[in-house]
Amino acid sequence: MARTAKKGKKPTARLQTRTPIRAQLAKGKRPQRSKLSQGELDQILAAHKKWLENKGKQGERADLRGANLQEAYLVEANLEEAYLSNANLQKADVRVSNLENADLWKA
């Protein structure tokens, strides 16, 4: 993700701060997928729900980039505007879930 450098100059990064997943992608590595328990997932979803209800003033936007959500129970989950890029959603149960404007790049 670095810009092309002129001769004798170091490339500059496009983003000043990088998440661990973006840093791994920038190095050409496949992101490590972290395992989440259902309890951890429920906490993330509760904080995300609060974030949505308060328009970002409280709670926290769900950041599940690179997460292993294989076979996760996400029925009726509100993941609107959540970060899910590079997440493993194989066999995840997302029936009636809201994924509107969610980042699903390579998920």
Side-chain angles (χ1 to χ4, degrees):
M1 291 276 186
R3 295 182 182 158
T4 56
K6 292 183 181 179
K7 192 173 181 178
K9 291 188 178 183
K10 292 182 180 179
T12 57
R14 286 186 181 172
L15 300 173
Q16 291 180 355
T17 58
R18 290 190 176 172
T19 63
I21 298 298
R22 285 188 181 172
Q24 290 174 14
L25 288 171
K27 292 178 184 175
K29 296 181 182 177
R30 185 182 177 125
Q32 298 248 339
R33 297 184 186 268
S34 55
K35 287 269 188 186
L36 290 176
S37 69
Q38 189 64 46
E40 290 171 318
L41 189 53
D42 290 342
Q43 287 178 342
I44 291 169
L45 292 174
H48 185 70
K49 180 180 178 181
K50 195 174 195 178
W51 181 81
L52 286 169
E53 290 170 349
N54 295 289
K55 299 179 182 174
K57 294 178 183 173
Q58 292 180 342
E60 188 174 337
R61 187 176 190 174
D63 189 350
L64 296 165
R65 289 178 273 207
N68 186 353
L69 301 174
Q70 188 172 5
E71 298 180 4
Y73 183 80
L74 296 167
V75 173
E76 296 183 8
N78 188 354
L79 289 165
E80 182 179 352
E81 298 185 30
Y83 295 123
L84 291 161
S85 62
N86 290 297
N88 180 359
L89 293 167
Q90 286 182 320
K91 297 183 182 180
D93 193 349
V94 293
R95 288 176 289 159
V96 197
S97 294
N98 181 0
L99 295 167
E100 187 177 344
N101 296 319
D103 180 6
L104 294 167
W105 183 71
K106 290 192 176 184

